[in-house]
């Protein structure tokens, strides 16, 4: 593409060189450089790639995009200065790939809990309505037969635009994606106008750690930015943060909820439990009258389903597509049951903070298990507040705790467990607890010591396919490991 065309709509100043030259690619990682590429220098949270400008030129870059002054290369290299290199990367990437998002229905989902499940529910009803729909989020990217893992819930803008182009070329007419607060703050979704924005809920999370938000208010405000970038907002009327989060919104709003007078309201909630099945049924009133059955447990599943119902109906999807999509929904690593025994129930979930743990355990407690067993750890190199909170909540709500590793990264698992113990001491220090540092051993212990009627939740990793120890990732997919052990000991 001609450089002049690539910068269409992007605020910039030509520092040296000419804009009348061809660009071979847009690159922000020196490992991907090709001769004639445009290299965007980004000021990151841990390093500044302006320091790599000379290396980029040596590797063949023909254009440098900078945010602050650097030693200028020879005048054969074009140098362009922008107010924000991250914002420029997003807009340049959209131009490079031909703005594929404009050719599809874009649905963005933000919030602390429920983004992944809600995204999959929305996609499920869209697919049931015959819409060819891609999805991007914590569980990866998927469309058609394509399924790939992602390093971030919301990928970097270049990768995001590339995925949109691939989806559109594959025939997709809709995209459902999780929009994290960091993704908005770091301009990964800049330049995308969403047809629908969804807000699930807000709790204290992603605050105070490396690269995270400084305060809860900052966290809330960045999430609220989505509703200045969408045409329709579908928001949780029951969340106490909704009003503040929506300050300055520019979109039309519809609401959903259980306890409020929402546009889409659920009542007459009834839990459903059968062998290897936990679900819920409820009635929808307001803008729609319909009875709904969801193949996922608890009140939080009602909220997620209400969001999907509201999106579906506002997009004009038929009732049968919504019914079929919600009845058939299954999300990897989200209250995902692993059927290995008729005597007890074991499931895996991604709950990895205090709010998620409390919500999950509250939901499971309502099904009146013989014992509610919670197996969990906490991630390394993250805020200790998460460990204290999870320890406190789990001790107060579960009947038996198994403390183990999560992704310890560069911390010792014993130190992380000690922090969790501090949280337990603040909650219910008398709850029966065992410590088994190796997560696989902990899972085996939970199965070996299960009692009839137990409900065992293995939380924290959910859909993840690896275990991170001291920065080394090795394969670890809990569903498969649970099934393998059940076969090994003759349960199935």
């Amino acid at each position: 593409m001609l450089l002049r065309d690539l910068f269409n709509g992007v605020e910039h100043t030509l520092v040296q060189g000419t804009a009348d030259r061809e660009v071979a690619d847009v690159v922000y990682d020196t490992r991907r450089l090709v001769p004639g590429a445009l290299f965007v220098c980004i000021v990151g949270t841990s390093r500044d790639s302006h320091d790599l400008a000379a290396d980029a030129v040596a590797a063949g870059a023909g254009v440098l995009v900078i945010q602050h002054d650097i030693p200028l290369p020879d005048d054969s290299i074009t140098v362009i200065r922008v107010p924000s290199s991250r914002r420029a990367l997003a807009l340049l990437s959209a131009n490079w790939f031909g703005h594929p998002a404009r050719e599809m229905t874009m649905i963005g989902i933000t919030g602390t809990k429920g983004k992944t499940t809600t995204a999959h529910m929305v996609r499920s009803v869209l697919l049931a309505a015959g819409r060819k729909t891609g999805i991007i989020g914590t569980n990866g990217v998927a469309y058609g037969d394509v399924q790939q893992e992602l390093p971030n819930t919301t990928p970097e803008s270049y990768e995001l635009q590339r995925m949109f182009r691939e989806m559109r070329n594959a025939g997709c007419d809709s995209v459902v994606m999780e929009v994290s607060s960091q993704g908005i703050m770091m301009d990964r979704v800049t330049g995308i106008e969403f047809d629908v924005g969804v807000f699930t809920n807000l709790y204290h999370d992603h605050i105070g750690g490396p690269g995270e938000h400084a305060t809860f208010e900052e966290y809330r405000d960045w999430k609220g930015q989505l509703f200045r970038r969408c045409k329709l907002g579908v928001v949780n009327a029951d969340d106490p943060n909704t009003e503040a989060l929506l300050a300055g919104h520019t979109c039309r709003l519809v609401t959903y909820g259980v306890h409020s007078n929402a546009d889409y309201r659920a009542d007459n909630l009834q839990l459903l439990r059968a062998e290897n099945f936990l679900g819920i049924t409820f009635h929808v009133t307001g803008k729609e009258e319909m009875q709904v059955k969801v193949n996922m447990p608890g009140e939080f599943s009602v909220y997620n389903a209400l969001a999907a119902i509201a999106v579906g109906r506002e997009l004009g999807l038929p009732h049968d597509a919504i019914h079929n999509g919600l009845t058939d929904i299954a999300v990897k690593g989200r209250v995902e049951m692993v059927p290995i025994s008729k005597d007890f129930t074991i499931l895996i979930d991604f709950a990895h903070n205090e709010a998620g743990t409390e919500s999950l355990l509250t939901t499971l407690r309502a099904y009146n298990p013989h014992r509610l067993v919670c197996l969990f750890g906490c991630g390394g190199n993250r805020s200790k507040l998460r460990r204290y909170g999870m320890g406190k909540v789990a001790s107060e709500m579960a009947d038996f705790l198994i403390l183990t590793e999560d992704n310890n990264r560069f911390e010792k698992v014993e130190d992380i467990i000690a922090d969790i113990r501090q949280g337990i001491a603040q909650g219910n220090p008398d709850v029966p607890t065992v410590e088994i540092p190796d997560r696989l051993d902990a899972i085996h212990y939970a199965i070996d010591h299960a009692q009839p009627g137990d409900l065992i939740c293995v939380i924290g990793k959910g859909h993840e396919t690896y275990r991170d120890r001291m920065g080394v990732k090795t394969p670890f997919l809990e569903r498969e490991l649970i099934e393998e052990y059940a076969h090994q000991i003759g349960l199935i």
Side-chain angles (χ1 to χ4, degrees):
M1 180 181 289
L2 191 66
L3 181 59
R4 187 180 302 280
D5 296 333
L6 186 59
F7 268 85
N8 183 38
V10 183
E11 183 181 355
H12 67 282
T13 301
L14 183 64
V15 176
Q16 87 170 25
T18 176
D20 293 316
R21 63 184 302 164
E22 290 289 334
V23 173
D25 199 357
V26 175
V27 179
Y28 64 95
D29 184 337
T30 54
R31 294 168 295 185
R32 291 185 48 248
L33 274 166
V34 296
L38 175 149
F39 181 72
V40 183
C41 301
I42 291 176
V43 179
T45 56
S46 59
R47 69 175 187 175
D48 185 347
S49 65
H50 287 74
D51 297 336
L52 303 176
D55 295 336
V57 172
V63 181
L64 294 178
V65 176
I66 61 173
Q67 182 176 316
H68 61 72
D69 290 338
I70 61 170
L72 293 177
D74 67 76
D75 57 13
S76 67
I77 306 300
T78 296
V79 180
I80 296 177
R81 183 161 182 161
V82 295
S84 166
S85 53
R86 281 196 175 277
R87 177 177 175 80
L89 175 63
L91 299 176
L92 292 170
S93 298
N95 285 343
W96 179 258
F97 288 104
H99 292 277
R102 295 177 180 174
E103 303 170 26
M104 298 180 286
T105 299
M106 301 296 299
I107 302 164
I109 300 173
T110 198
T112 303
K113 301 183 303 178
K115 292 190 300 296
T116 301
T117 300
T118 302
H120 280 268
M121 285 183 171
V122 171
R123 185 191 187 215
S124 186
V125 299
L126 284 164
L127 291 173
R131 302 279 292 267
K132 192 165 185 179
T133 308
I135 189 168
I136 298 171
T138 305
N139 280 13
V141 56
Y143 59 95
D145 296 327
V146 175
Q147 175 73 53
Q148 299 172 352
E149 293 185 11
L150 295 172
N152 300 307
T153 296
T154 308
E156 187 55 80
S157 56
Y158 180 92
E159 277 69 36
L160 202 53
Q161 294 292 339
R162 175 181 54 79
M163 292 173 200
F164 293 159
R165 174 47 62 199
E166 291 171 352
M167 289 179 179
R168 185 66 189 122
N169 290 348
C172 289
D173 53 52
S174 307
V175 176
V176 183
M177 64 174 290
E178 299 176 49
V179 182
S180 67
S181 53
Q182 286 100 333
I184 300 174
M185 182 175 68
M186 295 181 178
D187 282 304
R188 294 172 185 165
V189 295
T190 291
I192 302 171
E193 183 179 13
F194 291 92
D195 295 279
V196 183
V198 179
F199 169 59
T200 59
N201 49 62
L202 201 69
Y203 295 87
H204 284 75
D205 196 21
H206 301 294
I207 299 167
E212 297 186 318
H213 300 287
T215 64
F216 176 76
E217 289 74 20
E218 178 187 298
Y219 175 52
R220 181 189 64 205
D221 291 347
W222 278 112
K223 285 195 175 295
Q225 287 288 326
L226 177 62
F227 301 94
R228 302 178 189 182
R229 308 177 185 204
C230 65
K231 299 174 183 175
L232 168 69
V234 175
V235 300
N236 181 353
D238 292 342
D239 193 281
N241 294 287
T242 297
E243 182 177 356
L245 181 138
L246 290 174
H249 78 274
T250 57
C251 60
R252 179 173 71 88
L253 295 175
V254 298
T255 59
Y256 65 91
V258 174
H259 304 295
S260 64
N261 187 24
D263 295 317
Y264 295 85
R265 184 179 179 185
D267 57 24
N268 194 25
L269 281 61
Q270 297 181 18
L271 302 178
L272 303 175
R273 184 177 186 180
E275 182 182 324
N276 292 318
F277 178 87
L278 292 174
I280 193 165
T281 183
F282 59 93
H283 187 70
V284 178
T285 60
K287 293 186 73 172
E288 289 293 333
E289 287 276 343
M290 58 193 301
Q291 189 69 23
V292 180
K293 177 181 178 182
V294 181
N295 185 25
M296 298 187 79
E299 186 173 279
F300 64 81
S301 294
V302 174
Y303 279 96
N304 297 337
L306 279 172
I309 292 166
V311 172
R313 291 303 295 148
E314 294 297 320
L315 290 178
L317 304 186
H319 284 151
D320 60 348
I322 293 172
H323 282 294
N324 294 338
L326 293 178
T327 301
D328 297 338
I329 186 67
V331 185
K332 292 181 180 179
R334 300 303 191 276
V335 285
E336 180 186 6
M337 299 182 64
V338 187
I340 61 171
S341 173
K342 296 180 179 179
D343 295 329
F344 63 89
T345 300
I346 186 167
L347 58 84
I348 58 178
D349 191 79
F350 192 52
H352 59 284
N353 55 33
E354 179 179 356
T357 302
E358 181 177 18
S359 179
L360 176 67
L361 296 182
T362 300
T363 293
L364 299 181
R365 173 62 69 193
Y367 287 86
N368 297 315
H370 170 62
R371 292 187 311 168
L372 180 54
V373 179
C374 187
L375 183 158
F376 72 102
C378 287
N381 303 108
R382 297 293 187 270
S383 173
K384 289 191 176 186
L385 295 176
R386 183 177 294 178
R387 303 169 193 178
Y388 304 149
M390 286 187 70
K392 182 176 185 297
V393 164
S395 70
E396 292 172 339
M397 304 189 69
D399 300 306
F400 192 88
L401 302 182
I402 303 173
L403 305 184
T404 187
E405 64 183 323
D406 198 311
N407 294 320
N408 67 296
R409 298 182 178 88
F410 295 96
E411 288 191 73
K412 293 181 180 179
V413 63
E414 292 81 6
D415 293 340
I416 296 173
I417 290 177
D419 288 335
I420 296 172
R421 279 283 191 184
Q422 290 189 45
I424 293 173
Q426 298 168 18
N428 177 16
D430 297 324
V431 64
T433 304
V434 297
E435 296 180 14
I436 305 175
D438 185 283
R439 194 172 178 99
L440 185 57
D441 290 343
I443 291 172
H444 291 173
Y445 177 92
I447 295 172
D448 290 340
H449 293 81
Q451 298 177 12
D454 278 357
L455 206 168
I456 304 167
C457 55
V458 180
I459 68 173
K461 293 186 67 62
H463 64 283
E464 292 180 348
T465 59
Y466 62 88
R467 173 167 52 182
D468 187 340
R469 288 172 164 173
M470 295 300 166
V472 178
K473 293 184 178 181
T474 54
F476 198 91
L477 183 57
E478 288 183 330
R479 165 178 271 282
E480 292 182 356
L481 294 171
I482 291 169
E483 291 174 339
E484 287 174 6
Y485 188 65
H487 279 290
Q488 180 180 329
I489 64 176
L491 274 180
I492 54 177

